[in-house]
Amino acid sequence: MENEYKTLDLGEAAALHAGGFVLLRLEKTRKINQRAFIFTTKSATDNRLKLNAKEVVEEYRNHHMMINAYGYYLAIKEVKSRLHDDLEENN
């Protein structure tokens, strides 16, 4: 969808989540036990940046994203928890 951003990468998903983007759902992929993370394209909390999900991911990939280390750690834990919960429910 137009207002959604999809990624298979756990690190990207954690960066988006830490940046205030809402994890809408996880979708099955063709690979067994793999999920795509589906996010909103606009941050729900960090309006000062005015970056969309694609721009945040570009900053993440280019090592320019400024993010709190502990916040990123918590985001990884949350995204992994959602992933494991989804895998348990749907397998």
Side-chain angles (χ1 to χ4, degrees), residues 51-62:
L51 297 177
N52 65 36
K54 287 182 182 180
E55 294 166 327
V56 169
V57 167
E58 186 175 320
E59 288 202 356
Y60 167 79
R61 289 180 181 167
N62 292 325

Side-chain angles (χ1 to χ4, degrees), residues 28-65:
K28 287 185 177 185
T29 66
R30 291 182 179 176
K31 290 186 179 181
I32 297 172
N33 292 335
Q34 183 182 51
R35 299 293 187 268
F37 302 95
I38 312 299
F39 286 88
T40 56
T41 56
K42 294 183 180 177
S43 176
T45 60
D46 205 347
N47 294 329
R48 63 185 163 77
L49 294 177
K50 306 231 187 300
L51 297 177
N52 65 36
K54 287 182 182 180
E55 294 166 327
V56 169
V57 167
E58 186 175 320
E59 288 202 356
Y60 167 79
R61 289 180 181 167
N62 292 325
H63 306 280
H64 296 294
M65 186 175 184

Side-chain angles (χ1 to χ4, degrees), residues 69-86:
Y70 187 67
Y72 183 69
Y73 164 75
L74 292 175
I76 289 173
K77 285 180 64 172
E78 173 66 25
V79 170
K80 283 177 70 174
S81 177
R82 292 271 305 266
L83 175 61
H84 289 282
D85 290 347
D86 188 76

